[in-house]
């Protein structure tokens, strides 16, 4: 895990609030994310972490607040003032989104190779041989045997599907990846392998990641920083090992004490 | 084409079956479609006295543009005398009383299912396509809201995913009909289930192309002389089917051929899919290698018999 | 001598919210400094707060009161209250931590585990691997293990891998958290010589060492933590 002291944040979030009618989804969230930084958002179900992730990734417009993102040209843009075309371009080039359920992030009826190649084709790659070679390379990087390139993900195990989803997202070398419980629902041994793979890819590619998880071990392994959410509020944030080893808030202490050794 | 409001032939129907307000509505959709080449314009498709899948979209478009002076040709898979073509031609003879023809050259409006005539069309002709599923992205993206956004944003990478799958599974682009095209460098379009053999014909075609999808309630158009490019990969360029034999009856090469089984002993014949083209050639004295075969001559005779019944 | 680390009025209290908010004061008025090339060892009985002080310096525990100042080049940075990415950059470039426990990273070979901190500082991967092998050899980790992930190693082997990892990079400040516990005499001697080399390079070190023999050989100064103990309020 490495973080450079680049003085320009990649993401600048201020006063982010989402109401569902009268109910609070998340409230007054403020933070900055720097290139190469992995931020874990932890909390139990209903704490607002997924709402926050969806707001950040422009999948759910917030009620109030501003999210600014540093585009590849260096300009800082308000995400909710981007045109739909700009937003989509961002989502399929500079960003990734890894869903908890691989079926939400994959095209289940097309081959693994096409799943990985889709983003390349979306940005204009028109050479079949090169697209296929890149897809094969990425399957290798996520430890899927190259001879599965023409199989569709319905024939893949849960862990393989998740790894395929990761390859599909990373093929355009994004700078920011959102992950929603990427190891949820997987067997423990499969989880460990996936986490290890993620850790390596994140470090090798210098990705900035915002990962939502209720699993503090995942947060510990992957993230530099952590935000603890409860009832829609960020109640504690800081360096991951500091928050987990020296939790300050009552709720964080409860969370940390509720788990086995992490 | 001229606009007619009454029919003295079949008093029980308005001219060309549809009422005038409906025709106006459809014409507006057609004009919009022409203005935005390849863009699918929604229209209030009517119930027609035939089932969906029989060309209700094409029939409504034809009805909206048909005038009394028009001469209509109706083809189904290249042939004028198959059930669909016969029925729809009969429909317009009965409801509009317009002249009909088998001859591509004579027609001012040609409604077609799955083929484009081999004879190049002219500026004074209009070709109307029957379209079952107008959305080329539909098989990959089931949500209409999403496909419309993709069109709006020219977000067409997904179409190449399908072509990629073709090559991955078959070693080449195996899509042989309804082969996706990009119109005027902008909209992705399904050229209806015509064989890709016909795709080069719709590129810079002199005639106006109108496409109607009745069940899906969409009309789209390609104005005359509009560039239409078939999608492909740099290393797998678009290719049309080629046939290693000429037409068995008229000897034509470079045309689309249908395979016809002649007997129970495996005898087969490849003949022009465009029956009018084949007959014109034979009338002009061309003969193919199988023209003398008794079974084949039976086939060609059957075709001209059908013509007799129409006259 | 240049001061590398200076703790000024540092205090630490834990509030245990799950036990009715009981407050456990650990240390207060912590005041000492460590100079370049010096090894200072925290002394005092278990529970006196040695480990808490070390963890505060590393940013692992929060420091709510006082300052923890580290010299980085010609700048002085206060770890207490530094933002996370500042602490992370200090950990990469300035402050190393040698502990007894290896946080095992699955599927990464021992050589790569050891070389990682040096590579993070920008060293060439091949050079870092070479230095990692030298260190593993010095610490008597059998060569056949070098290319294997340490997850399956014995406790002592894992510990030596971690010591190698702690010593490989060029930090201005090294924190030693019982680096010799349960090592045999030969390996203890290796650690002593590693510490001596770091001293010669001008590295400031702050450690916790219960092993009296090693302590005598490497400590330039003992800082008695009982001086900072909080008298019951």
């Amino acid at each position: 895990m490495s973080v450079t002291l680049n003085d320009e944040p990649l993401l600048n979030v201020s006063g982010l609030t989402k109401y569902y009618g009268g109910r609070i989804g998340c409230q007054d969230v403020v933070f900055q994310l720097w290139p190469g930084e992995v931020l874990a958002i932890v909390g139990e179900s209903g704490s607002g972490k997924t709402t926050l992730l969806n707001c950040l990734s422009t999948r759910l417009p917030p009620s109030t607040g501003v999210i600014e993102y540093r585009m590849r040209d260096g300009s800082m843009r308000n995400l909710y003032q981007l045109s739909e075309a700009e937003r989509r371009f961002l989502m399929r080039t500079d960003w990734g989104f890894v869903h908890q359920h691989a079926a939400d992030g994959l095209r289940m009826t097309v081959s693994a190779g096409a799943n990985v190649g889709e983003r390349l084709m979306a940005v204009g790659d028109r050479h079949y041989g090169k697209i296929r070679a890149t897809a094969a390379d990425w399957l290798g990087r996520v430890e899927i045997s190259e001879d599965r390139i023409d199989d569709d993900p319905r024939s893949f195990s849960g862990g393989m599907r998740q790894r395929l989803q990761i390859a599909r997202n990373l093929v355009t070398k994004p700078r920011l990846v959102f992950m929603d419980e990427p190891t949820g629902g997987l067997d423990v041994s499969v989880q460990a392998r996936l986490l290890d793979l993620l850790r390596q890819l994140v470090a090798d590619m210098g990705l900035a990641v915002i990962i939502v998880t209720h699993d503090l071990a995942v947060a510990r392994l992957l993230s530099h920083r952590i935000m603890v959410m409860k009832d829609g509020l960020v109640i504690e944030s800081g360096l991951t090992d500091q928050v987990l080893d020296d939790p300050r808030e009552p709720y964080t202490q409860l969370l940390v004490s509720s788990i086995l050794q992490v | 084409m001229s606009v007619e409001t009454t029919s003295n032939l079949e008093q029980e129907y308005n001219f060309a079956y549809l009422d005038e307000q409906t025709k106006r509505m459809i014409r507006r959709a057609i004009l919009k479609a022409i203005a935005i080449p390849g863009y699918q314009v929604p229209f209030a498709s009517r119930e027609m006295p035939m089932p969906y899948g029989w060309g209700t979209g094409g029939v409504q478009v034809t009805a909206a543009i048909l005038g009394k002076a028009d001469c209509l040709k109706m083809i189904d898979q290249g042939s004028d005398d198959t059930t669909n073509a016969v029925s729809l031609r009969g429909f317009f003879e009965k409801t509009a009383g317009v002249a009909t023809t088998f001859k591509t050259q004579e027609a001012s409006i040609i409604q077609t299912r799955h083929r484009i005539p081999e004879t190049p069309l002219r500026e004074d002709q209009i070709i109307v396509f029957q379209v079952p599923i107008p959305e080329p992205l539909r098989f990959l993206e089931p949500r209409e809201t999403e496909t419309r956004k993709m069109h709006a944003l020219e977000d067409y990478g997904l179409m190449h995913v399908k072509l990629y799958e073709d090559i991955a599974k078959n070693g080449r682009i195996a899509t042989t009909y309804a082969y996706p095209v990009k119109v005027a460098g902008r909209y992705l379009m399904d050229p209806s289930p015509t064989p890709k053999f016909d795709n080069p014909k719709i590129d810079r075609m002199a005639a106006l192309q109108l496409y109607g999808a009745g069940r899906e309630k969409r009309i789209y158009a390609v104005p005359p002389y509009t560039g239409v490019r078939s999608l492909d990969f740099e290393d797998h360029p678009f290719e049309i089917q080629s046939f290693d034999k000429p037409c068995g009856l008229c000897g034509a090469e470079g045309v689309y051929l249908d395979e016809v089984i002649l007997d129970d002993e495996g005898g087969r014949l490849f003949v022009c899919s465009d029956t009018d083209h084949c007959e014109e050639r034979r009338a002009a004295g061309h003969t193919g290698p199988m023209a003398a075969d008794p079974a084949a001559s039976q086939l060609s005779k059957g075709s001209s018999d059908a013509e007799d019944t129409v006259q | 001598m240049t001061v590398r680390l200076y703790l000024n009025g540092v205090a630490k209290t834990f509030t245990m919210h799950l036990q009715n908010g009981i407050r456990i004061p650990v240390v207060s008025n912590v005041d000492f400094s460590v100079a370049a090339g010096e090894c200072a060892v925290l002394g005092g009985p278990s529970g006196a707060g040695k480990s808490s002080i070390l963890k505060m310096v590393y940013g692992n525990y929060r420091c709510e009161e006082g300052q923890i100042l580290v010299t980085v080049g010609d700048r002085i940075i206060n770890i207490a209250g530094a933002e996370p990415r500042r602490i992370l950059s200090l950990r990469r470039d300035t402050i190393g931590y040698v502990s007894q426990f290896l946080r095992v990273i699955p599927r990464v070979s021992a050589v790569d585990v050891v070389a990682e901190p040096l590579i993070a500082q920008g060293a060439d991967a091949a050079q870092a691997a070479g230095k990692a092998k030298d260190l593993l050899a010095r610490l008597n980790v059998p060569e056949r293990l070098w290319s294997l992930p340490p997850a399956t190693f014995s406790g002592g082997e894992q510990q030596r891998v971690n010591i190698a990892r702690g010593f490989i990079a060029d930090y201005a400040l090294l924190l030693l958290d019982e680096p010799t516990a349960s090592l045999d005499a030969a390996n203890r001697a290796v650690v002593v010589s590693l510490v001596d080399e770091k001293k010669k390079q001008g590295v400031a070190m702050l450690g916790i060492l219960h092993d009296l023999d090693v302590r005598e050989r490497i400590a330039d100064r003992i800082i008695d933590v009982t001086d900072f103990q909080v008298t019951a309020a």
Side-chain angles (χ1 to χ4, degrees):
Chain A
M1 294 197 280
S2 83
V3 164
T4 51
L5 277 182
N6 184 331
D7 283 318
E8 301 201 314
L10 192 62
L11 197 66
N12 195 356
V13 179
S14 55
L16 188 69
T17 299
K18 174 70 189 176
Y19 293 110
Y20 296 108
R23 254 178 352 96
I24 293 168
C26 62
Q27 194 171 29
D28 204 25
V29 177
V30 178
F31 72 93
Q32 290 181 312
L33 187 78
W34 278 267
E37 204 175 30
V38 180
L39 172 69
I41 305 172
V42 303
E44 58 195 26
S45 306
S47 61
K49 55 191 195 306
T50 298
T51 295
L52 175 58
L53 189 76
N54 287 336
C55 286
L56 295 172
S57 57
T58 71
R59 296 150 54 85
L60 181 70
S63 309
T64 59
V66 175
I67 307 165
E68 292 175 304
Y69 178 74
R70 190 168 306 281
M71 310 294 275
R72 282 190 177 177
D73 67 2
S75 65
M76 207 68 179
R77 298 284 303 275
N78 182 330
L79 289 180
Y80 284 92
Q81 284 171 5
L82 293 179
S83 69
E84 177 77 8
E86 287 176 307
R87 196 181 68 83
R88 284 192 169 222
F89 186 74
L90 199 63
M91 291 200 77
R92 70 187 179 210
T93 53
D94 219 16
W95 287 9
F97 197 108
V98 177
H99 296 261
Q100 175 175 3
H101 303 291
D104 296 338
L106 292 174
R107 292 194 189 278
M108 297 303 280
T109 55
V110 306
S111 70
N115 263 289
V116 177
E118 181 176 345
R119 274 175 167 237
L120 298 174
M121 293 181 253
V123 295
D125 279 18
R126 292 290 179 266
H127 192 285
Y128 172 83
K130 288 179 192 161
I131 293 165
R132 191 173 171 82
T134 307
D137 177 50
W138 268 99
L139 289 181
R141 290 180 73 170
V142 298
E143 299 167 17
I144 293 173
S145 163
E146 204 186 312
D147 62 17
R148 303 299 300 271
I149 191 167
D150 293 329
D151 296 346
D152 71 48
R154 285 174 299 194
S155 68
F156 285 11
S157 68
M160 277 172 79
R161 287 180 185 185
Q162 208 58 308
R163 295 202 300 278
L164 179 62
Q165 196 191 177
I166 288 162
R168 172 179 161 88
N169 273 282
L170 298 189
V171 67
T172 50
K173 300 188 173 59
R175 293 188 300 157
L176 175 60
V177 178
F178 300 95
M179 299 186 187
D180 187 6
E181 303 276 11
T183 58
L186 297 176
D187 290 344
V188 178
S189 61
V190 176
Q191 264 192 33
R193 181 175 180 189
L194 185 70
L195 281 172
D196 181 50
L197 182 74
L198 274 177
R199 196 191 61 82
Q200 278 176 20
L201 289 171
V202 165
D204 290 351
M205 300 179 72
L207 294 176
V209 177
I210 297 178
I211 178 171
V212 158
T213 180
H214 65 273
D215 186 339
L216 297 185
V218 170
R220 163 96 71 180
L221 187 71
L222 289 181
S223 71
H224 301 109
R225 273 203 297 149
I226 200 166
M227 293 203 308
V228 183
M229 291 193 74
K230 183 174 189 289
D231 301 332
L233 298 172
V234 175
I235 56 159
E236 183 163 2
S237 66
L239 203 60
T240 298
D241 62 86
Q242 194 178 70
V243 170
L244 295 180
D245 292 341
D246 185 11
R248 196 192 328 230
E249 293 297 317
Y251 177 74
T252 314
Q253 291 188 358
L254 178 68
L255 268 187
V256 171
S257 68
S258 310
I259 48 167
L260 303 171
Q261 189 82 49
V262 289
Chain B
M1 116 187 120
S2 66
V3 174
E4 297 292 331
T5 50
T6 54
S7 164
N8 51 13
L9 236 159
E10 289 281 346
Q11 291 300 329
E12 51 273 60
Y13 293 113
N14 191 34
F15 178 75
Y17 185 76
L18 290 175
D19 65 275
E20 293 308 307
Q21 287 307 315
T22 297
K23 285 195 242 172
R24 288 180 65 185
M25 174 272 293
I26 294 171
R27 284 173 203 143
R28 281 192 211 106
I30 291 170
L31 287 172
K32 183 172 178 182
I34 293 168
I36 318 171
Y39 173 74
Q40 298 165 47
V41 181
F43 80 110
S45 178
R46 297 292 193 248
E47 289 284 334
M48 297 303 284
M50 63 201 73
Y52 288 130
W54 280 62
T56 54
V59 165
Q60 289 180 80
V61 169
T62 300
I65 63 171
L66 198 62
K68 269 195 160 171
D70 274 313
C71 180
L72 184 65
K73 173 178 164 76
M74 191 68 74
I75 47 178
D76 172 12
Q77 315 239 34
S79 168
D80 296 83
D81 56 8
T82 53
T83 314
N84 191 280
V86 170
S87 305
L88 296 186
R89 186 169 48 239
F91 174 78
F92 280 112
E93 281 167 348
K94 188 171 182 185
T95 60
V98 293
T100 59
T101 182
F102 280 15
K103 299 202 182 312
T104 301
Q105 305 266 29
E106 286 175 4
S108 58
I109 297 174
I110 300 164
Q111 184 178 328
T112 181
R113 173 175 177 269
H114 299 191
R115 265 323 298 283
I116 296 170
E118 303 290 357
T119 310
L121 301 185
R122 302 182 310 264
E123 283 178 13
D124 62 346
Q125 293 177 309
I126 298 175
I127 183 164
V128 177
F129 294 83
Q130 300 168 199
V131 181
I133 296 168
E135 179 50 71
L137 298 162
R138 179 63 66 236
F139 290 105
L140 299 147
E141 175 51 66
R143 292 167 296 179
E144 174 71 11
T145 50
E146 182 62 21
T147 52
R148 292 181 80 160
K149 259 188 197 162
M150 291 162 84
H151 282 295
L153 300 170
E154 217 180 327
D155 186 357
Y156 293 142
L158 194 54
M159 200 69 242
H160 272 87
V161 170
K162 182 177 184 297
L163 301 181
Y164 172 99
E165 285 292 270
D166 258 12
I167 303 171
K169 300 224 153 85
N170 305 296
R172 63 197 160 79
I173 297 177
T175 300
T176 53
Y177 64 95
Y179 192 102
V181 294
K182 206 165 185 187
V183 179
R186 177 58 182 86
Y187 282 97
L188 185 65
M189 188 185 91
D190 177 354
S192 87
T194 52
K196 68 178 176 181
F197 181 87
D198 286 339
N199 274 22
K201 294 188 184 124
I202 61 174
D203 179 29
R204 303 195 54 76
M205 184 189 265
L208 170 65
Q209 306 165 46
L210 300 176
Y211 296 78
R215 179 176 38 211
E216 302 288 325
K217 303 178 172 59
R218 294 290 185 277
I219 287 171
Y220 50 101
V222 179
Y225 300 112
T226 302
V228 176
R229 202 175 58 77
S230 303
L231 300 190
D232 59 5
F233 285 100
E234 287 159 19
D235 49 343
H236 286 266
F238 173 76
E239 283 173 346
I240 59 170
Q241 296 100 325
S242 60
F243 299 88
D244 48 10
K245 286 180 202 160
C247 169
L249 296 179
C250 77
E253 292 180 1
V255 296
Y256 195 75
L257 301 181
D258 284 338
E259 181 183 4
V260 179
I261 305 296
L262 295 177
D263 50 40
D264 293 342
E265 276 96 54
R268 3 178 251 167
L269 173 65
F270 284 91
V271 293
C272 287
S273 144
D274 183 343
T275 52
D276 170 57
H277 182 73
C278 199
E279 275 158 30
E280 298 254 321
R281 279 180 57 83
R282 276 182 278 142
H286 297 281
T287 50
M290 299 278 283
D293 188 286
S297 62
Q298 187 62 33
L299 185 82
S300 66
K301 185 168 172 291
S303 174
S304 48
D305 280 351
E307 191 170 358
D308 292 341
T309 60
V310 176
Q311 301 300 323
Chain C
M1 276 296 219
T2 328
V3 171
R4 289 275 188 226
L5 173 69
Y6 175 39
L7 278 73
N8 176 19
V10 168
K12 178 72 188 169
T13 300
F14 288 108
T15 307
M16 314 301 278
H17 290 286
L18 303 182
Q19 277 114 41
N20 304 316
I22 185 174
R23 287 171 58 82
I24 304 171
V26 184
V27 286
S28 70
N29 292 314
V30 180
D31 230 292
F32 66 84
S33 63
V34 184
E38 180 190 29
C39 179
V41 171
L42 297 171
S46 292
K50 302 186 294 292
S51 187
S52 293
I53 291 172
L54 214 59
K55 285 179 171 172
M56 280 191 284
V57 174
Y58 199 57
N60 180 226
Y61 281 2
R62 286 189 175 89
C63 171
E64 282 109 352
E65 207 182 311
Q67 294 176 303
I68 299 172
L69 304 175
V70 181
T71 314
V72 181
D74 53 2
R75 288 190 307 154
I76 292 171
I77 292 167
N78 185 5
I79 290 173
E83 54 177 314
R85 61 199 206 96
R86 172 70 67 193
I87 294 176
L88 289 170
S89 92
L90 284 173
R91 287 181 183 178
R92 187 191 61 205
D93 297 324
T94 311
I95 310 175
Y97 194 95
V98 185
S99 83
Q100 336 176 35
F101 299 112
L102 177 65
R103 182 170 289 283
V104 176
I105 303 160
R107 303 195 302 166
V108 180
S109 75
V111 170
D112 290 344
V113 167
V114 174
E116 193 200 324
L118 194 54
I119 293 170
Q121 289 186 343
D124 171 71
Q127 269 181 343
K131 198 169 173 190
K133 287 173 184 170
D134 290 346
L135 276 167
L136 288 169
R138 279 182 74 180
L139 285 156
N140 304 303
V141 176
E143 192 173 341
R144 61 186 162 79
L145 298 180
W146 295 356
S147 59
L148 300 176
T152 55
F153 293 8
S154 72
E157 285 158 356
Q158 288 193 4
Q159 190 183 359
R160 279 175 276 148
V161 168
N162 207 36
I163 288 167
R165 178 180 160 91
F167 279 103
I168 191 168
D170 300 313
Y171 300 112
L173 175 63
L174 259 188
L175 305 175
L176 311 174
D177 187 356
E178 299 275 19
T180 56
S182 77
L183 286 187
D184 59 26
N187 284 312
R188 279 205 300 275
V190 176
V191 172
V192 170
S193 68
L194 285 170
V195 169
D196 280 340
E197 286 162 26
K198 289 288 180 190
K199 278 188 197 174
K200 288 198 185 82
Q201 291 162 19
V203 175
M205 282 171 280
L206 177 65
I208 303 172
L209 286 162
H210 282 120
D211 181 336
L212 290 176
D213 168 49
V214 173
R215 187 154 96 176
E216 259 174 30
R217 285 155 69 187
I218 67 173
D220 297 308
R221 189 154 58 92
I222 308 285
I223 297 163
D224 189 354
V225 174
T226 51
D227 292 349
F228 312 132
Q229 267 188 330
V230 184
T231 41

